[in-house]
Amino acid sequence: KVSLDGHVEEIDSVSDAADFLQRWPIERRGHVYRSALNACSAAIAAQISESDAMKVFTGFARVSGILVADGGPGDSWEPTRP
């Protein structure tokens, strides 16, 4: 889940992530944004796994301060820490 301008959005797939990134404010697009967009595009083209692309998107969301971590079992994209 991500939150932008007070609106929480569920990101359930690479396509959802790519759609969200297309709506990201132009003035806030930087290196991390481009990495996430490139990863989503690569996953859509079957060049990398969807799981890897979602990890990059999750990193983008965390760095951008928009990640909503509810801690539930549905947070499958969050990497587990040893």
Side-chain angles (χ1 to χ4, degrees), residues 2-7 9 11 16-37 57 59-67:
V2 293
S3 176
L4 184 61
D5 299 328
H7 172 71
E9 189 171 336
I11 304 295
D16 287 350
D19 289 343
F20 179 85
L21 290 167
Q22 292 295 332
R23 293 182 274 119
W24 188 246
I26 292 171
E27 65 276 5
R28 293 183 67 186
R29 295 179 183 186
H31 296 297
V32 179
Y33 164 85
R34 283 191 290 280
S35 293
L37 186 61
F57 178 80
F60 158 78
R62 183 178 293 112
V63 167
S64 299
I66 61 168
L67 184 65

Side-chain angles (χ1 to χ4, degrees), residues 11-21 36-37 39-45 48-54 57 77:
I11 304 295
D12 293 321
S13 68
V14 170
S15 293
D16 287 350
D19 289 343
F20 179 85
L21 290 167
L37 186 61
C40 289
S41 297
I44 290 167
I48 67 170
S49 72
E50 289 195 11
S51 175
D52 285 347
M54 292 312 301
F57 178 80
W77 297 327

